[in-house]
Amino acid sequence: MSESIPKGIVFFIDRCLGRNQLAEALRKRGVRVEVHDAHFSKDALDVDWLPNVGERGWIVLTKDSNIGRCALERIAVTNANIKMFVLASQNLSGVDMIDAFSRALSKIINFVRDNSAPFITKVYRDGQVKEWKTATDLQAELQQSSDD
């Protein structure tokens, strides 16, 4: 699998996904990974770390679906030009989260290649990857908020 992962792709694992298990599982598959706590304080707000992650071009993995529901956080995603993948199910064990992201990995890579940032996309337990908030959706919302 590692040979099909472009060198420039780096995944950022949000704190809510844990610090080690998912990161190690992805690294074993040849994926470059950065972990929240290595760069930000444990209590850092999403709106504070998103710009930094966006500057670095890292792809966010999270299970925090509130990011897609909260207008301020969606605006932060848009302004930071983030590519984000959110676990659709909030109640998975660590092993199940690893399994979901592992099953979805090739689809995530293809989605990253084929879609411009910003976006928020859902990852399902069975490895499905489905568009949730497109660049068009997010940019329209940002424009609407700046017009108000």
Side-chain angles (χ1 to χ4, degrees):
M1 180 70 195
S2 61
E3 62 278 354
S4 65
I5 299 172
K7 290 183 182 186
I9 289 185
V10 178
F11 289 101
F12 174 81
I13 298 178
D14 191 3
R15 183 162 219 289
C16 60
L17 291 175
R19 293 181 305 205
N20 297 317
Q21 287 183 327
L22 178 59
E24 287 309 311
L26 291 175
R27 285 179 182 129
K28 285 179 183 174
R29 298 204 51 193
V31 177
R32 289 187 52 213
V33 174
E34 296 292 338
V35 179
H36 179 281
D37 288 0
H39 300 277
F40 307 103
S41 68
K42 293 176 183 181
D43 59 352
L45 300 174
D46 295 337
V47 295
D48 293 333
W49 61 258
L50 283 165
N52 191 286
V53 169
E55 262 181 40
R56 296 174 184 206
W58 295 341
I59 298 155
V60 176
L61 303 181
T62 186
K63 69 175 185 177
D64 183 0
S65 62
N66 288 329
I67 290 176
R69 293 188 182 112
C70 172
L72 284 177
E73 292 183 1
R74 286 192 310 272
I75 289 168
V77 166
T78 306
N79 282 331
N81 215 32
I82 295 286
K83 294 181 176 185
M84 180 178 287
F85 294 86
V86 180
L87 272 177
S89 179
Q90 305 300 298
N91 299 319
L92 297 179
S93 70
V95 170
D96 289 337
M97 288 188 290
I98 291 167
D99 188 52
F101 279 117
S102 294
R103 286 175 185 239
L105 188 58
S106 63
K107 292 175 189 155
I108 289 171
I109 298 296
N110 289 335
F111 199 92
V112 166
R113 284 185 190 146
D114 296 342
N115 293 273
S116 298
F119 62 74
I120 305 172
T121 298
K122 289 194 176 185
V123 174
Y124 292 83
R125 184 180 196 150
D126 64 359
Q128 289 185 60
V129 173
K130 293 189 180 177
E131 205 169 48
W132 185 27
K133 307 284 183 185
T134 67
T136 303
D137 298 335
L138 293 168
Q139 290 163 345
E141 182 176 21
L142 180 61
Q143 183 63 43
Q144 173 85 28
S145 70
S146 66
D147 289 346
D148 290 344

